[in-house]
Amino acid sequence: LRLRVDKVTDLSLLAKAIATQPGFTGCVLSDNDGLLLAQSNADNYGESWGAVAGKIMTQVRESVQLLDVGPVDAVSLDIGNDTVTIVTSPNVILSAMHEGKKLTAAQLGLIRKIRQEVTWLLTRRAYAGR
């Protein structure tokens, strides 16, 4: 990622940087209450997606608990022509739209790393603006 995640103070720049990475087409960052924090290339449904991504993860976690396979921190969904991978943390939900029907291990590692950095960013300082 060309944009140093640990130096980001504007989540809009981060969403744009994610959306322009090879294999990715868009990004939505929201908080756990469904508030849209930033988006890039998701204008048609960014606000709505921010509101439902947390609910999707909650439902998946509750269902997977019955399988006793451990915690779930990422889910990929095939929605029409789009594939979206959701990764969560205690204070942010990162939804990355990507090309194709598969997410590579490197792509998943990248969005998990970014999620970790954004979590740090939002726990250490206040975010204002869009």
Side-chain angles (χ1 to χ4, degrees), residues 72-108:
V72 175
D73 78 325
V75 170
S76 290
L77 302 167
D78 183 13
I79 304 172
N81 294 330
D82 295 318
T83 303
V84 180
T85 298
I86 307 167
V87 293
T88 63
S89 72
N91 61 357
V92 70
I93 300 168
L94 189 158
S95 300
M97 294 71 186
H98 46 92
E99 298 170 345
K101 302 299 179 191
K102 293 182 181 180
L103 185 70
T104 67
Q107 290 170 325
L108 181 57

mmCIF file of all heavy atoms in Angstrom, residues 72-108:
data_model
loop_
_atom_site.group_PDB
_atom_site.id
_atom_site.type_symbol
_atom_site.label_atom_id
_atom_site.label_comp_id
_atom_site.label_asym_id
_atom_site.label_seq_id
_atom_site.Cartn_x
_atom_site.Cartn_y
_atom_site.Cartn_z
ATOM 1 N N VAL A 72 -14.799 -15.930 14.293
ATOM 2 C CA VAL A 72 -14.844 -15.503 12.894
ATOM 3 C C VAL A 72 -14.500 -14.021 12.857
ATOM 4 O O VAL A 72 -15.147 -13.221 13.522
ATOM 5 C CB VAL A 72 -16.252 -15.729 12.290
ATOM 6 C CG1 VAL A 72 -16.326 -15.163 10.884
ATOM 7 C CG2 VAL A 72 -16.616 -17.195 12.310
ATOM 8 N N ASP A 73 -13.481 -13.656 12.078
ATOM 9 C CA ASP A 73 -13.141 -12.236 11.955
ATOM 10 C C ASP A 73 -13.256 -11.739 10.524
ATOM 11 O O ASP A 73 -13.085 -10.561 10.250
ATOM 12 C CB ASP A 73 -11.740 -11.951 12.506
ATOM 13 C CG ASP A 73 -10.637 -12.352 11.549
ATOM 14 O OD1 ASP A 73 -10.797 -13.354 10.837
ATOM 15 O OD2 ASP A 73 -9.603 -11.664 11.515
ATOM 16 N N ALA A 74 -13.574 -12.643 9.577
ATOM 17 C CA ALA A 74 -13.721 -12.240 8.181
ATOM 18 C C ALA A 74 -14.743 -13.132 7.492
ATOM 19 O O ALA A 74 -14.814 -14.325 7.756
ATOM 20 C CB ALA A 74 -12.381 -12.330 7.459
ATOM 21 N N VAL A 75 -15.521 -12.504 6.607
ATOM 22 C CA VAL A 75 -16.517 -13.229 5.814
ATOM 23 C C VAL A 75 -16.515 -12.646 4.409
ATOM 24 O O VAL A 75 -16.474 -11.425 4.247
ATOM 25 C CB VAL A 75 -17.932 -13.082 6.429
ATOM 26 C CG1 VAL A 75 -19.002 -13.608 5.498
ATOM 27 C CG2 VAL A 75 -18.010 -13.775 7.772
ATOM 28 N N SER A 76 -16.548 -13.512 3.400
ATOM 29 C CA SER A 76 -16.677 -13.061 2.015
ATOM 30 C C SER A 76 -18.049 -13.460 1.494
ATOM 31 O O SER A 76 -18.506 -14.580 1.716
ATOM 32 C CB SER A 76 -15.598 -13.689 1.128
ATOM 33 O OG SER A 76 -14.340 -13.164 1.441
ATOM 34 N N LEU A 77 -18.684 -12.517 0.802
ATOM 35 C CA LEU A 77 -20.015 -12.740 0.250
ATOM 36 C C LEU A 77 -20.011 -12.442 -1.234
ATOM 37 O O LEU A 77 -19.447 -11.437 -1.669
ATOM 38 C CB LEU A 77 -21.030 -11.810 0.931
ATOM 39 C CG LEU A 77 -21.172 -11.916 2.436
ATOM 40 C CD1 LEU A 77 -21.969 -10.734 2.966
ATOM 41 C CD2 LEU A 77 -21.846 -13.208 2.806
ATOM 42 N N ASP A 78 -20.671 -13.297 -1.998
ATOM 43 C CA ASP A 78 -20.850 -13.071 -3.423
ATOM 44 C C ASP A 78 -22.231 -12.458 -3.592
ATOM 45 O O ASP A 78 -23.242 -13.104 -3.332
ATOM 46 C CB ASP A 78 -20.749 -14.413 -4.162
ATOM 47 C CG ASP A 78 -20.863 -14.259 -5.665
ATOM 48 O OD1 ASP A 78 -20.766 -13.125 -6.162
ATOM 49 O OD2 ASP A 78 -21.065 -15.287 -6.334
ATOM 50 N N ILE A 79 -22.268 -11.188 -3.987
ATOM 51 C CA ILE A 79 -23.520 -10.452 -4.095
ATOM 52 C C ILE A 79 -23.650 -9.935 -5.518
ATOM 53 O O ILE A 79 -23.006 -8.952 -5.890
ATOM 54 C CB ILE A 79 -23.579 -9.287 -3.092
ATOM 55 C CG1 ILE A 79 -23.361 -9.801 -1.686
ATOM 56 C CG2 ILE A 79 -24.887 -8.535 -3.207
ATOM 57 C CD1 ILE A 79 -23.207 -8.722 -0.653
ATOM 58 N N GLY A 80 -24.456 -10.603 -6.315
ATOM 59 C CA GLY A 80 -24.618 -10.184 -7.709
ATOM 60 C C GLY A 80 -23.295 -10.247 -8.437
ATOM 61 O O GLY A 80 -22.654 -11.291 -8.492
ATOM 62 N N ASN A 81 -22.868 -9.135 -8.979
ATOM 63 C CA ASN A 81 -21.595 -9.069 -9.695
ATOM 64 C C ASN A 81 -20.430 -8.711 -8.786
ATOM 65 O O ASN A 81 -19.301 -8.617 -9.249
ATOM 66 C CB ASN A 81 -21.675 -8.036 -10.830
ATOM 67 C CG ASN A 81 -22.648 -8.464 -11.907
ATOM 68 O OD1 ASN A 81 -22.846 -9.648 -12.139
ATOM 69 N ND2 ASN A 81 -23.277 -7.490 -12.542
ATOM 70 N N ASP A 82 -20.708 -8.478 -7.522
ATOM 71 C CA ASP A 82 -19.675 -8.056 -6.583
ATOM 72 C C ASP A 82 -19.355 -9.151 -5.576
ATOM 73 O O ASP A 82 -20.210 -9.953 -5.215
ATOM 74 C CB ASP A 82 -20.119 -6.813 -5.801
ATOM 75 C CG ASP A 82 -20.304 -5.594 -6.683
ATOM 76 O OD1 ASP A 82 -19.471 -5.376 -7.574
ATOM 77 O OD2 ASP A 82 -21.282 -4.863 -6.469
ATOM 78 N N THR A 83 -18.122 -9.178 -5.138
ATOM 79 C CA THR A 83 -17.725 -10.000 -4.005
ATOM 80 C C THR A 83 -17.197 -9.042 -2.946
ATOM 81 O O THR A 83 -16.397 -8.159 -3.250
ATOM 82 C CB THR A 83 -16.648 -11.025 -4.396
ATOM 83 O OG1 THR A 83 -17.156 -11.833 -5.460
ATOM 84 C CG2 THR A 83 -16.301 -11.924 -3.230
ATOM 85 N N VAL A 84 -17.678 -9.198 -1.730
ATOM 86 C CA VAL A 84 -17.316 -8.300 -0.639
ATOM 87 C C VAL A 84 -16.755 -9.132 0.506
ATOM 88 O O VAL A 84 -17.341 -10.141 0.889
ATOM 89 C CB VAL A 84 -18.542 -7.505 -0.138
ATOM 90 C CG1 VAL A 84 -18.153 -6.567 0.990
ATOM 91 C CG2 VAL A 84 -19.201 -6.741 -1.276
ATOM 92 N N THR A 85 -15.628 -8.705 1.035
ATOM 93 C CA THR A 85 -15.065 -9.335 2.223
ATOM 94 C C THR A 85 -15.167 -8.339 3.367
ATOM 95 O O THR A 85 -14.749 -7.186 3.232
ATOM 96 C CB THR A 85 -13.606 -9.763 1.999
ATOM 97 O OG1 THR A 85 -13.585 -10.727 0.943
ATOM 98 C CG2 THR A 85 -13.015 -10.367 3.262
ATOM 99 N N ILE A 86 -15.736 -8.801 4.476
ATOM 100 C CA ILE A 86 -15.918 -7.972 5.667
ATOM 101 C C ILE A 86 -14.942 -8.453 6.721
ATOM 102 O O ILE A 86 -14.879 -9.648 7.016
ATOM 103 C CB ILE A 86 -17.352 -8.101 6.228
ATOM 104 C CG1 ILE A 86 -18.396 -7.823 5.158
ATOM 105 C CG2 ILE A 86 -17.541 -7.177 7.427
ATOM 106 C CD1 ILE A 86 -19.808 -8.231 5.577
ATOM 107 N N VAL A 87 -14.168 -7.528 7.285
ATOM 108 C CA VAL A 87 -13.323 -7.825 8.444
ATOM 109 C C VAL A 87 -13.704 -6.830 9.541
ATOM 110 O O VAL A 87 -13.999 -5.670 9.262
ATOM 111 C CB VAL A 87 -11.807 -7.763 8.127
ATOM 112 C CG1 VAL A 87 -11.408 -8.866 7.179
ATOM 113 C CG2 VAL A 87 -11.402 -6.426 7.581
ATOM 114 N N THR A 88 -13.716 -7.304 10.770
ATOM 115 C CA THR A 88 -14.172 -6.459 11.869
ATOM 116 C C THR A 88 -13.136 -6.362 12.973
ATOM 117 O O THR A 88 -12.213 -7.150 13.055
ATOM 118 C CB THR A 88 -15.481 -7.023 12.482
ATOM 119 O OG1 THR A 88 -15.212 -8.314 13.027
ATOM 120 C CG2 THR A 88 -16.579 -7.118 11.454
ATOM 121 N N SER A 89 -13.354 -5.361 13.806
ATOM 122 C CA SER A 89 -12.571 -5.167 15.022
ATOM 123 C C SER A 89 -13.533 -4.574 16.042
ATOM 124 O O SER A 89 -14.698 -4.334 15.720
ATOM 125 C CB SER A 89 -11.396 -4.231 14.759
ATOM 126 O OG SER A 89 -11.851 -2.908 14.592
ATOM 127 N N PRO A 90 -13.081 -4.305 17.252
ATOM 128 C CA PRO A 90 -14.007 -3.740 18.248
ATOM 129 C C PRO A 90 -14.621 -2.394 17.863
ATOM 130 O O PRO A 90 -15.686 -2.054 18.340
ATOM 131 C CB PRO A 90 -13.128 -3.591 19.490
ATOM 132 C CG PRO A 90 -12.080 -4.635 19.323
ATOM 133 C CD PRO A 90 -11.806 -4.683 17.846
ATOM 134 N N ASN A 91 -13.976 -1.636 16.980
ATOM 135 C CA ASN A 91 -14.530 -0.309 16.686
ATOM 136 C C ASN A 91 -14.662 0.031 15.206
ATOM 137 O O ASN A 91 -15.082 1.123 14.875
ATOM 138 C CB ASN A 91 -13.710 0.780 17.387
ATOM 139 C CG ASN A 91 -12.273 0.802 16.939
ATOM 140 O OD1 ASN A 91 -11.841 -0.028 16.143
ATOM 141 N ND2 ASN A 91 -11.511 1.739 17.454
ATOM 142 N N VAL A 92 -14.315 -0.878 14.302
ATOM 143 C CA VAL A 92 -14.427 -0.570 12.880
ATOM 144 C C VAL A 92 -14.755 -1.829 12.084
ATOM 145 O O VAL A 92 -14.345 -2.926 12.452
ATOM 146 C CB VAL A 92 -13.130 0.093 12.349
ATOM 147 C CG1 VAL A 92 -11.982 -0.882 12.299
ATOM 148 C CG2 VAL A 92 -13.345 0.729 10.990
ATOM 149 N N ILE A 93 -15.527 -1.624 11.027
ATOM 150 C CA ILE A 93 -15.829 -2.691 10.088
ATOM 151 C C ILE A 93 -15.288 -2.248 8.731
ATOM 152 O O ILE A 93 -15.644 -1.183 8.241
ATOM 153 C CB ILE A 93 -17.340 -2.958 10.009
ATOM 154 C CG1 ILE A 93 -17.857 -3.373 11.384
ATOM 155 C CG2 ILE A 93 -17.652 -4.015 8.948
ATOM 156 C CD1 ILE A 93 -19.362 -3.390 11.493
ATOM 157 N N LEU A 94 -14.427 -3.055 8.167
ATOM 158 C CA LEU A 94 -13.843 -2.769 6.860
ATOM 159 C C LEU A 94 -14.473 -3.743 5.867
ATOM 160 O O LEU A 94 -14.373 -4.952 6.038
ATOM 161 C CB LEU A 94 -12.338 -2.954 6.906
ATOM 162 C CG LEU A 94 -11.525 -2.497 5.696
ATOM 163 C CD1 LEU A 94 -10.077 -2.259 6.103
ATOM 164 C CD2 LEU A 94 -11.592 -3.438 4.530
ATOM 165 N N SER A 95 -15.145 -3.194 4.869
ATOM 166 C CA SER A 95 -15.739 -4.007 3.805
ATOM 167 C C SER A 95 -14.992 -3.687 2.517
ATOM 168 O O SER A 95 -15.002 -2.553 2.051
ATOM 169 C CB SER A 95 -17.220 -3.677 3.643
ATOM 170 O OG SER A 95 -17.925 -3.924 4.836
ATOM 171 N N ALA A 96 -14.326 -4.692 1.968
ATOM 172 C CA ALA A 96 -13.537 -4.517 0.748
ATOM 173 C C ALA A 96 -14.221 -5.240 -0.401
ATOM 174 O O ALA A 96 -14.486 -6.435 -0.321
ATOM 175 C CB ALA A 96 -12.127 -5.061 0.950
ATOM 176 N N MET A 97 -14.528 -4.489 -1.460
ATOM 177 C CA MET A 97 -15.101 -5.072 -2.651
ATOM 178 C C MET A 97 -13.929 -5.490 -3.544
ATOM 179 O O MET A 97 -12.960 -4.747 -3.676
ATOM 180 C CB MET A 97 -15.969 -4.049 -3.399
ATOM 181 C CG MET A 97 -17.211 -3.609 -2.662
ATOM 182 S SD MET A 97 -16.806 -2.562 -1.255
ATOM 183 C CE MET A 97 -18.412 -2.379 -0.517
ATOM 184 N N HIS A 98 -14.024 -6.692 -4.112
ATOM 185 C CA HIS A 98 -12.905 -7.143 -4.922
ATOM 186 C C HIS A 98 -13.357 -7.844 -6.195
ATOM 187 O O HIS A 98 -14.507 -8.261 -6.320
ATOM 188 C CB HIS A 98 -11.940 -8.018 -4.118
ATOM 189 C CG HIS A 98 -12.571 -9.082 -3.286
ATOM 190 N ND1 HIS A 98 -12.772 -10.357 -3.736
ATOM 191 C CD2 HIS A 98 -13.047 -9.050 -2.028
ATOM 192 C CE1 HIS A 98 -13.339 -11.068 -2.792
ATOM 193 N NE2 HIS A 98 -13.524 -10.311 -1.749
ATOM 194 N N GLU A 99 -12.410 -7.932 -7.129
ATOM 195 C CA GLU A 99 -12.647 -8.560 -8.420
ATOM 196 C C GLU A 99 -12.691 -10.068 -8.261
ATOM 197 O O GLU A 99 -12.017 -10.626 -7.410
ATOM 198 C CB GLU A 99 -11.522 -8.206 -9.390
ATOM 199 C CG GLU A 99 -11.400 -6.739 -9.673
ATOM 200 C CD GLU A 99 -10.138 -6.393 -10.446
ATOM 201 O OE1 GLU A 99 -9.211 -7.230 -10.522
ATOM 202 O OE2 GLU A 99 -10.080 -5.264 -10.954
ATOM 203 N N GLY A 100 -13.452 -10.710 -9.101
ATOM 204 C CA GLY A 100 -13.480 -12.163 -9.091
ATOM 205 C C GLY A 100 -14.232 -12.713 -7.907
ATOM 206 O O GLY A 100 -14.777 -11.981 -7.082
ATOM 207 N N LYS A 101 -14.263 -13.999 -7.824
ATOM 208 C CA LYS A 101 -15.025 -14.677 -6.777
ATOM 209 C C LYS A 101 -14.140 -15.185 -5.647
ATOM 210 O O LYS A 101 -14.622 -15.775 -4.696
ATOM 211 C CB LYS A 101 -15.818 -15.851 -7.372
ATOM 212 C CG LYS A 101 -16.770 -15.433 -8.474
ATOM 213 C CD LYS A 101 -17.797 -14.451 -7.957
ATOM 214 C CE LYS A 101 -18.732 -14.002 -9.055
ATOM 215 N NZ LYS A 101 -19.557 -12.882 -8.660
ATOM 216 N N LYS A 102 -12.832 -14.968 -5.760
ATOM 217 C CA LYS A 102 -11.918 -15.452 -4.731
ATOM 218 C C LYS A 102 -11.062 -14.313 -4.209
ATOM 219 O O LYS A 102 -10.717 -13.392 -4.930
ATOM 220 C CB LYS A 102 -11.007 -16.543 -5.295
ATOM 221 C CG LYS A 102 -11.734 -17.803 -5.664
ATOM 222 C CD LYS A 102 -10.761 -18.837 -6.157
ATOM 223 C CE LYS A 102 -11.499 -20.103 -6.546
ATOM 224 N NZ LYS A 102 -10.589 -21.127 -7.038
ATOM 225 N N LEU A 103 -10.713 -14.422 -2.949
ATOM 226 C CA LEU A 103 -9.807 -13.485 -2.309
ATOM 227 C C LEU A 103 -8.515 -14.246 -2.034
ATOM 228 O O LEU A 103 -8.551 -15.327 -1.444
ATOM 229 C CB LEU A 103 -10.423 -12.981 -1.001
ATOM 230 C CG LEU A 103 -9.680 -11.915 -0.238
ATOM 231 C CD1 LEU A 103 -9.747 -10.595 -1.005
ATOM 232 C CD2 LEU A 103 -10.289 -11.726 1.136
ATOM 233 N N THR A 104 -7.392 -13.710 -2.468
ATOM 234 C CA THR A 104 -6.130 -14.399 -2.233
ATOM 235 C C THR A 104 -5.709 -14.227 -0.773
ATOM 236 O O THR A 104 -6.170 -13.322 -0.071
ATOM 237 C CB THR A 104 -5.018 -13.855 -3.143
ATOM 238 O OG1 THR A 104 -4.730 -12.497 -2.752
ATOM 239 C CG2 THR A 104 -5.411 -13.912 -4.608
ATOM 240 N N ALA A 105 -4.815 -15.079 -0.335
ATOM 241 C CA ALA A 105 -4.284 -14.979 1.028
ATOM 242 C C ALA A 105 -3.591 -13.639 1.237
ATOM 243 O O ALA A 105 -3.688 -13.030 2.307
ATOM 244 C CB ALA A 105 -3.333 -16.135 1.309
ATOM 245 N N ALA A 106 -2.904 -13.153 0.212
ATOM 246 C CA ALA A 106 -2.217 -11.858 0.313
ATOM 247 C C ALA A 106 -3.220 -10.718 0.463
ATOM 248 O O ALA A 106 -3.010 -9.796 1.255
ATOM 249 C CB ALA A 106 -1.326 -11.628 -0.902
ATOM 250 N N GLN A 107 -4.326 -10.774 -0.297
ATOM 251 C CA GLN A 107 -5.349 -9.735 -0.191
ATOM 252 C C GLN A 107 -6.002 -9.758 1.183
ATOM 253 O O GLN A 107 -6.216 -8.705 1.784
ATOM 254 C CB GLN A 107 -6.402 -9.911 -1.289
ATOM 255 C CG GLN A 107 -5.900 -9.598 -2.667
ATOM 256 C CD GLN A 107 -6.878 -10.020 -3.750
ATOM 257 O OE1 GLN A 107 -7.567 -11.024 -3.638
ATOM 258 N NE2 GLN A 107 -6.933 -9.232 -4.810
ATOM 259 N N LEU A 108 -6.310 -10.946 1.683
ATOM 260 C CA LEU A 108 -6.906 -11.044 3.016
ATOM 261 C C LEU A 108 -5.928 -10.539 4.072
ATOM 262 O O LEU A 108 -6.314 -9.810 4.994
ATOM 263 C CB LEU A 108 -7.326 -12.479 3.317
ATOM 264 C CG LEU A 108 -7.993 -12.723 4.676
ATOM 265 C CD1 LEU A 108 -9.238 -11.852 4.844
ATOM 266 C CD2 LEU A 108 -8.333 -14.192 4.838
#
